[in-house]
Amino acid sequence: MKRASLRALLIALIPFVAMCFSVALWDRVDPMLLGLPFNLFWLISWVVFSTLRMWSAYRIEAARHKKDGETR
């Protein structure tokens, strides 16, 4: 089994960094977005974006394996 590419790992780390290490930037209730406090909206939106990021990382790895001629 090959190690994941650096590009796929970096794409996968973006949601983790955005949710865990940006608290000082969004730690407030106001403004309200879509009826939710900003901090809750921020976390929910990153949960959704995480799905897209993981799909992107998967596609990168699948293309890499296909290029190398590997089968799963």
Side-chain angles (χ1 to χ4, degrees), residues 1-38:
M1 178 173 228
K2 288 177 113 177
R3 295 181 70 170
S5 67
L6 180 62
R7 186 174 168 201
L9 289 173
L10 290 175
I11 286 174
L13 280 174
I14 290 171
F16 175 74
V17 170
M19 285 191 271
C20 295
F21 298 114
S22 66
V23 174
L25 301 174
W26 54 260
D27 191 21
R28 57 181 144 302
V29 174
D30 291 324
M32 298 284 278
L33 296 170
L34 300 175
L36 297 171
F38 182 76

